[in-house]
Amino acid sequence: MHIRGLINQPKLQEALRETVDEQMQHLRDYIVNTKMPGVGIGTVSGGLAASVKPLNTIIVGSKIFGGVKAGGPNARQAAAFEYGYPNPLEIRPKNRKALAFMPESPRGPVDSRGMVRNFVVRPPIPRKPFLHAGFMDQRSEIIAAIRKTINEVTE
């Protein structure tokens, strides 16, 4: 966001930094608690939800930058959900010779007859945007909070 006169007003800069940091935390919470479940991204390990973090707010001249990121070593699927992954994906075991799938019921394994495969093919992942869509949902609230801070500090 570009704000005229921001460069010479340290009090306004600090107030805006705090406001944007607060808004990015709210955006992060909205994305994890509302947007991700809303687009059908369930929590299996929680790695993707844990990877959604607000970025540090930066002020450069008369511009202020803030944001939220997702992904990393424990959540490599973030980009696949945000943008989609059009190709089938072959999944192979990491530490064993084969993949094993055991049927289960609420009381535990049904029987010892499971399924063992050298690899499986995951179908393409449809686009399920949660970061950009979450921002667009919250955009007007973020802008309103920034305007409110500017009005409070400059009065």
Side-chain angles (χ1 to χ4, degrees), residues 34-154:
T34 305
K35 202 64 191 176
M36 289 171 64
V39 297
I41 301 174
T43 54
V44 176
S45 66
L48 180 57
S51 79
V52 179
K53 296 181 175 157
L55 299 171
N56 291 331
T57 301
I58 301 170
I59 297 175
V60 179
S62 62
K63 295 182 181 177
I64 188 164
F65 300 91
V68 174
K69 69 174 186 166
N74 296 328
R76 292 188 175 124
Q77 71 274 35
F81 283 125
E82 184 71 18
Y83 305 109
Y85 191 83
N87 304 320
L89 182 64
E90 193 173 277
I91 301 171
R92 295 192 172 274
K94 286 183 182 179
N95 304 320
R96 304 282 182 206
K97 292 181 179 179
L99 300 168
F101 302 92
M102 304 304 284
E104 289 193 21
S105 74
R107 295 186 201 121
V110 175
D111 59 25
S112 61
R113 294 176 291 160
M115 195 169 67
V116 178
R117 299 286 184 264
N118 290 331
F119 69 92
V120 293
V121 176
R122 190 198 188 296
I125 298 171
R127 185 172 184 264
K128 296 180 179 182
F130 58 98
L131 288 173
H132 184 260
F135 170 73
M136 293 309 291
D137 290 353
Q138 296 295 306
R139 183 173 183 256
S140 60
E141 286 85 355
I142 294 168
I143 292 170
I146 291 170
R147 285 187 176 144
K148 180 180 176 192
T149 299
I150 291 169
N151 290 336
E152 287 173 355
V153 173
T154 57

Side-chain angles (χ1 to χ4, degrees), residues 6-15 17:
L6 181 62
I7 198 164
N8 297 323
Q9 298 187 40
K11 185 178 176 185
L12 179 58
Q13 286 181 350
E14 188 54 36
R17 184 185 329 272

